[in-house]
Amino acid sequence: MRQVALVARDCGQVAGELRRAFGWPPPFHDPGVGQFGLTNAVFAVGDTFVEVVAPAQPDTTAGRYLDRRGGDGGYMAIFQVPDLPAARRRVADLGVRVVWTADLPDIAGTHLHPRDVPGAIVSLDWADPEQSWRWAGPSWTGQMPDHAPGGVTGLTIEVNDPAAAAGRWAAVLGISIRAAGRGRSENTVVELADQGQRLRFRPARNSRGEGITEVTIAGLPGTGPWMIGGVRFAGEEG
């Protein structure tokens, strides 16, 4: 899991709250998101990234998401894969629709339809060299700059059927799951063991519906939690 995105009505406000809470340096603003009718701010958090996006024009996917969920919240999870052609074949075999692709010499991305992978927009991306990340700006393009320790260690995704959603995400990522509890109300965890990261799927608890509700990050100043942009941020050791 290389990047998580929040969607907000006011990108600057939420980005400012993140900087004040965590002392992060100024973010990168990617002009490329203008093709989606968005503005954004991308923060480097260790060698992972936290992004805030906001609609910059009417009738955007992000704007409709804000309306549907009744405000700011978690929006997107981006996973870096070593073999993108194989990952694309896997999602095609699963019948998962692709809504956007980009293929550049040093990075490529594949956004999946959220109705086919519930709880967020999931993207499968590839980078060369693998430590680089063009989406985070020139300092991460073709290289990995000096950066602080820590990074994103997990997400909590609230969904109508945690077991089914976890199974779908795991199939898309090509990994296994483990469950806690029984029945439709169970909490289910998908572990990205090589990276020490976890995806926790829990029952949607309110009228906002499905979405990313928590981000855990190693290296935060304190343990929190902090509520920023409709998402609970929590510190984590390691």
Side-chain angles (χ1 to χ4, degrees):
M1 180 168 48
R2 198 73 193 275
Q3 183 167 321
V4 58
L6 283 61
V7 63
R9 294 287 184 193
D10 188 327
C11 181
Q13 176 183 330
V14 173
E17 290 181 23
L18 290 169
R19 289 197 68 192
R20 288 190 293 273
F22 307 134
W24 291 343
F28 169 65
H29 301 283
D30 184 0
V33 301
Q35 67 177 298
F36 304 111
L38 303 175
T39 59
N40 83 336
V42 182
F43 293 95
V45 183
D47 64 351
T48 64
F49 305 90
V50 173
E51 179 184 17
V52 183
V53 301
Q57 63 188 43
D59 194 30
T60 63
T61 300
R64 290 190 293 273
Y65 189 87
L66 285 165
D67 292 340
R68 185 168 63 253
R69 298 207 71 221
D72 300 355
Y75 184 57
M76 188 173 187
I78 302 177
F79 297 88
Q80 183 175 350
V81 297
D83 187 340
L84 187 57
R88 286 173 169 172
R89 289 193 297 271
R90 182 168 62 247
V91 298
D93 290 343
L94 290 167
V96 174
R97 290 169 287 178
V98 173
V99 296
W100 178 83
T101 60
D103 291 280
L104 302 174
D106 63 315
I107 201 162
T110 310
H111 293 188
L112 308 181
H113 200 298
R115 290 188 180 178
D116 295 342
V117 190
I121 297 175
V122 171
S123 184
L124 303 180
D125 291 30
W126 163 91
D128 181 31
E130 65 179 13
Q131 299 87 354
S132 68
W133 199 246
R134 174 184 286 269
W135 310 138
S139 65
W140 286 88
T141 300
Q143 62 184 342
M144 180 178 68
D146 291 338
H147 59 277
V152 175
T153 59
L155 302 178
T156 297
I157 306 105
E158 293 192 3
V159 289
N160 295 328
D161 186 338
R168 189 63 158 174
W169 284 55
V172 163
L173 296 172
I175 55 181
S176 60
I177 65 173
R178 67 178 177 82
R182 296 172 180 268
R184 287 178 58 85
S185 64
E186 71 183 24
N187 296 331
T188 309
V189 177
V190 174
E191 295 199 15
L192 285 70
D194 290 346
Q195 303 301 321
Q197 297 171 320
R198 292 182 176 182
L199 307 172
R200 304 171 182 89
F201 293 84
R202 295 178 179 168
R205 295 176 292 181
N206 56 43
S207 60
R208 296 196 68 194
E210 300 182 318
I212 297 169
T213 57
E214 181 180 77
V215 179
T216 56
I217 299 177
L220 292 184
T223 57
W226 302 261
M227 284 298 300
I228 302 174
V231 172
R232 182 179 185 269
F233 285 82
E236 186 166 284
E237 296 295 331

